[in-house]
Amino acid sequence: MTCIFCDILDGKRDGHFIYEDESHVAFLDKYPVDVGHSLIIPRKHHEKITDMEITDVGNIFSVVPKVAKAILDATGADAFTLSQNNGKSAKQIIPHVHIHIIPRYAVKGAIWTKREIADDSELLELSKKIRTILT
C-alpha cells in the first residue's frame, strides 16, 4: 500500500509546502476546512502518534507554534484549531501521522461536532482508570 504523504515527500505527488526541516514538512491541505488549513507531518512514516518515539512526538509538536503563527500572519485569521487523529475510527483518512492547523476567523465562526455529557460518576471512574494506566 502506498502512502499519499510519503508520495508527496518523494515528489511523486504535488504538495504546496510551507515549512521544511530535516525531520518534518508542512504543506497546505488539498481539501481545506478553511483558508490556510495546513498539515505538519514527520518525514519518517508512522501510522499513529503512538507508533512514534516520545522525543519525536515532542519534536513535531514543537514545530506547531512557528507554523501556526506564520499561517495566522499570512491569512489574517483570528485563531486556529489543532487536530491530530489516530486510526480510522478517529477519522484519520491518511495513515501517516499528521497535525492539522486549521485557521479560524471570527467573522465565520467555527463548527463543532455534537458533544455528549457524561455524569460525574462516569468521569470519576474513567479518570481513575486512566491515572492507573499512566502510573
Side-chain angles (χ1 to χ4, degrees):
M1 181 173 117
T2 62
C3 170
I4 292 170
F5 290 168
C6 288
D7 285 349
I8 291 171
L9 289 169
D10 292 340
K12 296 176 185 173
R13 292 179 184 250
D14 290 335
H16 297 281
F17 291 85
I18 60 173
Y19 174 83
E20 294 186 56
D21 66 27
E22 62 188 35
S23 302
H24 314 95
V25 299
F27 50 86
L28 295 174
D29 194 300
K30 188 172 181 178
Y31 305 101
V33 171
D34 215 329
V35 176
H37 180 172
S38 300
L39 307 170
I40 300 174
I41 70 168
R43 289 185 185 272
K44 184 176 177 186
H45 182 89
H46 299 283
E47 183 174 333
K48 299 175 186 168
I49 204 164
T50 51
D51 299 333
M52 297 173 68
E53 295 292 326
I54 290 174
T55 54
D56 293 336
V57 173
N59 289 337
I60 193 169
F61 274 94
S62 73
V63 174
V64 170
K66 177 188 245 181
V67 174
K69 183 171 181 347
I71 292 168
L72 293 176
D73 290 347
T75 63
D78 304 293
F80 64 94
T81 298
L82 290 181
S83 175
Q84 201 286 310
N85 306 322
N86 291 276
K88 288 182 182 180
S89 297
K91 306 299 183 205
Q92 181 183 13
I93 297 168
I94 308 298
H96 186 122
V97 169
H98 55 288
I99 300 169
H100 294 261
I101 300 175
I102 305 168
R104 299 300 189 169
Y105 303 85
V107 296
K108 295 180 182 182
I111 298 172
W112 287 95
T113 59
K114 181 182 175 191
R115 296 179 184 215
E116 294 181 19
I117 300 172
D119 64 38
D120 281 334
S121 62
E122 289 176 281
L123 295 173
L124 179 62
E125 286 304 310
L126 183 56
S127 67
K128 287 180 184 177
K129 188 174 182 178
I130 294 169
R131 276 196 314 269
T132 300
I133 291 169
L134 286 171
T135 55

